[in-house]
Amino acid sequence: MKGTPLELPEVGWLDAARLAAGLDRHQRLDLAAHARVHPPLPAPGRDALLTLAEAVGLPGRGGAGFPFARKARATLTASDRTGAPPVIVINGAEGEPASAKDKMLLARTPHLVLDGACLAAAAFGAEEIVIGVAAGSPGEISVPAALAERELPCPARTVCLPERFASGESGALVRGINGLPVVPAPLKARAADGGAGGVRRRPTLLCNAETWAQLAIAARLGPDAYAAVGTAAEPGTTLLTVNRPGAVPLVVEVPTGTRLGPVLAACGLQPGAGVLVGGYHGAWLHPSVAVDAPLSRAGLTALGGALGAGAIVVLPHDTCPLGELARVAAWLATESTGQCGPCRHGLPDAAEALALLAAGAAEPAVLESARRALGAAQGGGACSHPDGTARFVLTALDVFSADVEAHLSGPGCGRPVRDVLPLPPGRGARLEVDWSRCAGHGLCAVLAPGLVRLGPHGYPAAPTVPVSRWQEHGARRAVNQCPALALRLRRPG
């Protein structure tokens, strides 16, 4: 493992340093350092850039992995049809708690990301470049500083978005850029057909930060040299965020197709009880499978996994898998925007069931109910959040089936919950019942029907899942109108 611990997150690489080049010597590559590390950037025209992207088979390096060339051609077709110049968007709003690769790129090597965006802007005649970053992240300072250092083919601006899981969804990002609430669009639409641009919606080419950086590397190397590492189907390198218990995450650059076992070993880790690949919209792998799992989209898909945004978390043997799972499932339920049935009902119901299971208080019917809720959530959401959450939970139930059985048939696995799976602090308010006051009026269940349910004797059963943002209005109404003043909305801290 090469690379030197510098700043959060740490950076290293196996075999080839392309995106991470120079980060063993520099904390951040300003324009002068960037020029010393990377050769001059060519200036391909429209057709040449599209041909390059197709030749290297560049997939998007976010969750979906949609091919860059197809996305670019769709944007240009819309631009030619409407006569409106396109907008180039860099998605750096990384709301995935287990992923830090895009934050690292924007914080430490921002010019490489901007190189790719500027290539496309110049070749495609773009009207504007927009960089979406999480508010409070290092990119909020690093990106404007980088923009001020260089000449640009068109105007560019940075937009700060709330650090939420939904902020990285393409439709939510475009809405945030346009000054609208940062939630997925009510109706699914391609950014290529008209995304950013306020009232005058422009054809929009939107890719995450790593995709733009990979484009800049490919342009410098050319197709043959770019494909010198990686697999034939997925040439080049990929960035991973390897989460280590009790330590800062490590962003690692590896050739695609590298086996997961050597990557974990290089980071000082063993497969433990199970390995999550692809982050909280990814999938769990059994340790026996994880060691030889190839780190490519095709390789992981064949194993029932998902590369996603490249986030990897090892679950050690000394923590309760179901307790860890319940923590994240509750957070994922609260991070939904409540725009569709799966997010309003399926995810909270599943999270409640998992909390009962982790506590050893669930009957088998409760688990089956959670499985049905998650199964129904797949494919029916306004965005990919229900699908990704279902994959995360359902694969965990399979990998940790022995622990599930222990929690269903007895007191549980006996291990504490060590909070290994990373989550942001301050995870939402909770609705609490003062049982010394509650008289069982049932009004709270009427005012907040998706949040409060009445038990068999007419008394409310407050949920263990924190209150989502979209539920807060109903929760406050229930608190304010409770005749017995028995409800409280308690915020963290």
Side-chain angles (χ1 to χ4, degrees):
M1 172 66 65
K2 303 176 184 178
T4 304
L6 293 170
E7 182 185 53
L8 296 176
E10 296 180 11
V11 181
W13 56 89
L14 293 177
D15 298 336
R18 292 179 172 182
L19 304 178
L23 294 180
D24 55 341
R25 306 187 302 276
H26 300 277
Q27 184 176 21
R28 177 183 180 275
L29 297 178
D30 60 12
L31 186 60
H34 174 74
R36 290 193 297 270
V37 170
H38 296 282
L41 190 68
R46 169 174 167 158
D47 292 340
L49 188 59
L50 289 171
T51 300
L52 170 70
E54 288 174 337
V56 301
L58 179 62
R61 299 308 172 97
F66 196 82
F68 174 86
R70 285 173 56 191
K71 190 180 291 187
R73 287 191 183 279
T75 304
L76 292 173
T77 297
S79 179
D80 293 342
R81 184 181 68 250
T82 62
V87 173
I88 303 297
V89 174
I90 300 171
N91 185 354
E94 198 171 29
E96 160 71 75
S99 183
K101 66 185 182 70
D102 290 334
K103 289 186 179 71
M104 183 280 293
L105 287 171
L106 293 175
R108 300 190 59 182
T109 181
H111 286 287
L112 191 60
V113 179
L114 293 176
D115 279 351
C118 287
L119 275 177
F124 301 155
E127 178 182 71
E128 185 181 31
I129 297 171
V130 184
I131 307 97
V133 301
S137 70
E140 187 176 358
I141 297 173
S142 177
V143 172
L147 290 173
E149 287 185 299
R150 61 188 293 158
E151 294 184 5
L152 300 164
C154 61
R157 61 189 172 102
T158 305
V159 175
C160 293
L161 302 161
E163 191 165 11
R164 292 189 57 201
F165 201 52
S167 296
E169 196 270 339
S170 59
L173 175 63
V174 167
R175 285 171 60 84
I177 290 171
N178 292 334
L180 299 172
V182 186
V183 297
L187 298 176
K188 293 182 180 179
R190 295 191 310 173
D193 293 327
V199 176
R200 300 178 300 112
R201 298 294 173 86
R202 300 297 193 190
T204 299
L205 180 53
L206 186 155
C207 299
N208 82 319
E210 186 190 345
T211 307
W212 292 115
Q214 291 282 3
L215 183 66
I217 294 293
R220 287 183 166 97
L221 293 177
D224 292 341
Y226 186 84
V229 300
T231 69
E234 299 178 43
T237 64
T238 191
L239 287 180
L240 309 170
T241 306
V242 181
N243 292 266
R244 302 171 293 174
V248 296
L250 178 60
V251 176
V252 186
E253 184 176 12
V254 304
T256 54
T258 301
R259 303 289 169 177
L260 178 55
V263 175
L264 295 179
C267 298
L269 297 171
Q270 296 295 323
V275 183
L276 175 65
V277 180
Y280 295 158
H281 277 180
W284 288 91
L285 298 178
H286 191 274
S288 61
V289 175
V291 171
D292 291 324
L295 290 165
S296 66
R297 293 187 182 276
L300 288 172
T301 299
L303 296 174
L307 181 60
I312 296 173
V313 187
V314 171
L315 197 69
H317 290 288
D318 64 350
T319 188
C320 173
L322 298 185
E324 298 281 355
L325 177 65
R327 291 174 56 245
V328 177
W331 180 80
L332 289 168
T334 60
E335 282 295 294
S336 82
T337 56
Q339 293 180 286
C340 60
C343 276
R344 295 181 72 90
H345 304 294
L347 300 191
D349 288 352
E352 287 287 344
L354 291 169
L356 289 173
L357 181 62
E363 299 292 333
V366 173
L367 178 59
E368 290 310 309
S369 176
R371 288 185 182 274
R372 284 195 300 272
L374 291 168
Q378 292 178 299
C383 67
S384 62
H385 186 59
D387 300 70
T389 301
R391 181 168 52 242
F392 167 82
V393 174
L394 292 174
T395 56
L397 293 176
D398 290 340
V399 169
F400 305 116
S401 58
D403 296 275
V404 171
E405 194 61 36
H407 280 255
L408 283 175
S409 60
C413 64
R415 286 166 284 179
V417 182
R418 300 191 181 279
D419 295 354
V420 172
L421 299 184
L423 287 177
R427 300 192 297 274
R430 291 182 181 273
L431 198 61
E432 297 180 349
V433 180
D434 182 349
W435 297 110
S436 67
R437 289 176 175 269
C438 182
H441 294 95
L443 181 61
C444 52
V446 176
L447 296 172
L451 192 59
V452 180
R453 298 175 184 177
L454 299 183
H457 302 293
Y459 285 86
T464 59
V465 177
V467 177
S468 301
R469 290 172 178 83
W470 59 269
Q471 293 175 312
E472 285 199 4
H473 176 70
R476 285 195 296 268
R477 277 207 313 163
V479 169
N480 293 337
Q481 297 185 37
C482 174
L485 304 178
L487 286 180
R488 303 281 187 275
L489 192 60
R490 189 177 299 279
R491 299 192 176 277

